Amino acid sequence: MALFKSSEERRLEREMDIRKGLSRIKKQIRDQEREEKDFIKKAKRAKQLGDGTQLKVIKANLKRTAYTRRLMERQLLNLEVFKQLKGQAEAQADFARALETVSEAIAESYGSVNMAQVHKNCEKAVNQSESMQQMMELMIEQTNESVSHMEGAQSDDLVSDDEIDRLIDEAVVAEETEEMEDKVSSKLDSLRERFEKNRQKA
């Protein structure tokens, strides 16, 4: 194992860490979605049983879970944006390094010929890199403000009580509709069977 890692090795390690972070957040979002569905089922049962106390407890947990999931979705979006900016910054850095190599080659081959243009090109590359850095710093500052605002906000900002009630009501209606359809289907099957028997007797 090498004592010192190359810049490429460090870049690959950073890329791997970012991918792992994205995967972990996506898994957490999926877990929260599963918990939401489970809480909705439990809330539906409590509502059908008329257990108001238990329903209140379940609704509070459902609201907290939905809030956590939506906060994670925002964090995932922020991380994806920064990953894209990282790629842009690396492209700028590659350009600057290539330009530096070309400049050195020109200097070695032609001495002082057209050094003013080489210097101008180098300054342009530096300015582009600084511009990218400023954009990333601005994005980080804005994102930090956004995250701070989200952390200080109440869960009502992302998930309202009306929305929680609507999720539970929709689950109850869906189950009742399915039960009604099953009953109608069973009666139709019974009528068809009786009709077929009467037709055979005739």
Side-chain angles (χ1 to χ4, degrees):
M1 178 182 294
L3 184 59
F4 299 104
K5 296 178 181 179
S6 67
S7 59
E8 179 63 16
E9 288 175 329
R10 290 194 298 271
R11 187 190 70 80
L12 291 174
E13 284 186 354
R14 289 194 299 267
E15 187 71 23
M16 184 64 68
D17 288 340
I18 292 173
R19 290 181 181 177
K20 287 180 180 178
L22 287 169
S23 296
R24 284 195 294 268
I25 294 175
K26 289 177 181 178
K27 181 181 182 301
Q28 289 172 350
I29 291 173
R30 291 194 297 270
D31 291 343
Q32 295 296 319
E33 288 174 343
R34 283 194 293 269
E35 287 189 19
E36 281 183 58
K37 292 178 181 178
D38 190 46
F39 278 128
I40 290 174
K41 289 180 182 178
K42 288 180 171 64
K44 179 185 64 178
R45 285 161 51 195
K47 189 169 186 176
Q48 290 172 334
L49 292 171
D51 190 340
T53 302
Q54 190 64 30
L55 178 60
K56 185 177 180 180
V57 172
I58 295 171
K59 284 170 64 176
N61 281 280
L62 174 58
K63 187 174 183 179
R64 176 185 54 79
T65 304
Y67 170 77
T68 302
R69 190 252 307 164
R70 293 183 185 181
L71 187 60
M72 286 181 178
E73 288 174 343
R74 291 188 177 187
Q75 293 171 345
L76 175 64
L77 182 60
N78 280 332
L79 186 55
E80 289 172 341
V81 169
F82 279 120
K83 184 175 183 295
Q84 186 174 354
L85 289 176
K86 182 183 86 67
Q88 294 174 359
E90 288 175 347
Q92 290 287 338
D94 289 341
F95 169 73
R97 283 191 291 268
L99 185 59
E100 182 181 11
T101 301
V102 171
S103 299
E104 291 175 353
I106 292 174
E108 290 175 1
S109 301
Y110 299 103
S112 61
V113 175
N114 205 19
M115 285 303 295
Q117 183 62 41
V118 172
H119 181 68
K120 182 179 178 181
N121 289 340
C122 287
E123 285 185 341
K124 180 181 178 181
V126 171
N127 289 335
Q128 287 176 327
S129 297
E130 289 178 349
S131 176
M132 177 60 69
Q133 180 65 29
Q134 290 173 357
M135 186 178 74
M136 289 185 67
E137 289 175 355
L138 178 61
M139 177 64 72
I140 290 172
E141 182 179 347
Q142 292 175 343
T143 302
N144 286 339
E145 291 177 357
S146 176
V147 171
S148 297
H149 174 71
M150 286 189 295
E151 289 176 350
Q154 297 295 324
S155 60
D156 286 340
D157 294 338
L158 292 179
V159 187
S160 67
D161 290 333
D162 289 341
E163 185 176 355
I164 296 298
D165 289 333
R166 188 171 65 253
L167 287 172
I168 296 170
D169 290 340
E170 287 175 354
V172 172
V173 170
E175 182 178 2
E176 291 175 349
T177 300
E178 185 177 352
E179 290 176 354
M180 181 63 69
E181 289 176 349
D182 289 342
K183 289 179 181 179
V184 170
S185 178
S186 177
K187 289 183 179 180
L188 286 174
D189 289 340
S190 177
L191 288 173
R192 289 193 191 96
E193 185 177 347
R194 289 169 56 189
F195 176 78
E196 184 63 26
K197 286 180 179 180
N198 291 334
R199 189 180 64 83
Q200 290 176 355
K201 288 179 179 179

